[in-house]
Amino acid sequence: MEQTKLVALTFDDGPSNITEQVLDILEKESIVGTFFLIGQNITPERKATMERELALGCEIANHSFTHGDMSKMTAEVIRDEIDKTSDLIRDTVGVETRFFRPPYIALSDTMYANINMPFICGHDSRDWDASTSAQDRVDRVLAAVKDGSLVLMHDMKDNVKTLEALPKIIAGLREKGFSFVTASQIFDQKGIDPNVPHKIWSNVFD
Ligand SMILES: [Zn+2]
């Protein structure tokens, strides 16, 4: 088994007005990422962006429908959030979502009991906070990533500092010898089964 160092870049809260620019960067670098979509952001005009994500080899995953705090939701509402988003993704681009990221990484036993997908967190670039500089986003990611890591970033509306940080993050990780894969690929290629009850993953080996 080849011991290539792997990292999975992931992006939350799209599709948005910056998602195409994130894809431009990934395409230019010939790498893939994983996009955790908010169901209510999936509008007809974003369909082409989702198709482009898949055409570039990227993965689409589930980040709830309304992006509320799901730790305060009932079982029924939680299942509705998940199913509506998975159904809409399937209806729009024909793929099944395999992974879930909880909004705000807010967790509850009810969520674990009712969401039948592996939960993903990832090393936090803090790029959801507008006061985090582009360089700080780069430094946080490069300091945290190890073999098997998932990285948490956001292709949320107007998040231009991440567009500035992303090429530097990619260059820095390449320099450290990392190859870039999707969330599914990082588990599959490392031979790790992500279906572990009551677990949220930031690195496939932790
Ligand atoms: Zn989010």
Side-chain angles (χ1 to χ4, degrees), residues 12-13 36 38 63 67 101-105 128 152 154 156:
D12 280 9
D13 296 4
F36 287 79
I38 298 173
H63 192 39
H67 206 274
R101 181 179 277 122
Y104 316 107
I105 317 295
W128 43 269
L152 171 52
H154 290 78
M156 63 189 188

Side-chain angles (χ1 to χ4, degrees), residues 34-52:
T34 300
F35 292 85
F36 287 79
L37 305 193
I38 298 173
Q40 67 187 10
N41 287 356
I42 302 172
T43 55
E45 56 268 30
R46 299 292 184 209
K47 179 180 176 176
T49 299
M50 293 166 66
E51 288 172 337
R52 185 174 174 216

